[in-house]
Amino acid sequence: MTNKKTNIATVLANLQTTSSGYDLIRYIGLPDMLGQESDQILYVMGKNLARQAECMTIEEIQEFFQHVGWGELILSQEKRRGYLFELSGDIIKARLQTLKEIDFHLESGFLAETIYQISDKACESVAEINKDHIIFHVLHN
C-alpha cells in the first residue's frame, strides 16, 4: 500500500458504479462493524469527505451528491440561522421503500462541513426522513 493521497475528484471522474454495492456496504456492512457508534462515525466520515471534496458553492455540493449517487439535492430554504436542503430522486425513494433501517448521517456530516467551509460558521446538520424525500436542517451559530 502506498502513502499516495487519492484525490476525490479523480476518483469520481474515473470510477462509475451502480449504487447497489455502495448500499450493501453502507446499510448492512458498516452498521454491523461499527455497532452502536455507527451514527456518529458516519457523521464524522461525512465531514472528513467534505474536507477532501472541497465543494465551495451550493452548486458544487449538489453536483457532488448527484455524482456519488446520494440523490438530487436542492436548497429549499435559506434562513437566518441556517439552511434547509431537500434530498430526493428515484434512488432515495428506492432506499426508503426497500431498507428497514436507514439513516443519512454521512450526508448530514458532509453538509455540515461544506456549509461551514462556505460560510465560515460552525454548523450541525440533522436529517428528517419523510415518505419520499429527506430534509436536512443545517444550522449554524
Side-chain angles (χ1 to χ4, degrees):
M1 184 159 178
T2 66
N3 290 333
K4 184 178 171 185
K5 187 175 178 182
T6 302
N7 182 294
I8 287 183
T10 303
V11 171
L12 293 177
N14 293 319
L15 298 179
Q16 299 293 319
T17 62
T18 66
S19 65
S20 57
Y22 163 80
D23 287 340
L24 284 173
I25 291 169
R26 167 76 186 279
Y27 295 109
I28 297 171
L30 283 178
D32 187 47
M33 279 182 38
L34 302 175
Q36 293 179 343
E37 302 298 320
S38 67
D39 293 352
Q40 185 64 29
I41 292 170
L42 287 168
Y43 190 84
V44 171
M45 282 176 60
K47 291 181 101 169
N48 290 339
L49 281 172
R51 289 182 195 110
Q52 293 181 42
E54 300 176 345
C55 297
M56 297 311 295
T57 66
I58 299 295
E59 292 78 19
E60 288 177 354
I61 298 169
Q62 293 168 319
E63 289 173 13
F64 185 89
F65 267 67
Q66 186 72 39
H67 199 80
V68 299
W70 286 354
E72 298 167 25
L73 185 73
I74 60 165
L75 174 60
S76 59
Q77 194 173 20
E78 188 171 344
K79 296 182 170 189
R80 185 176 55 86
R81 295 203 14 95
Y83 303 86
L84 290 179
F85 289 92
E86 186 175 313
L87 184 64
S88 61
D90 292 338
I91 192 72
I92 298 302
K93 288 178 187 173
R95 286 179 181 143
L96 290 171
Q97 292 171 356
T98 305
L99 300 165
K100 291 179 183 176
E101 297 291 324
I102 190 166
D103 67 70
F104 293 88
H105 297 292
L106 184 71
E107 295 88 341
S108 287
F110 188 91
L111 281 173
E113 183 64 25
T114 53
I115 297 301
Y116 163 70
Q117 291 174 358
I118 292 170
S119 68
D120 201 31
K121 296 177 183 174
C123 296
E124 293 296 325
S125 176
V126 177
E128 176 187 327
I129 300 174
N130 292 296
K131 183 179 178 182
D132 62 351
H133 66 282
I134 310 305
I135 296 178
F136 292 101
H137 301 265
V138 183
L139 305 174
H140 54 75
N141 303 3

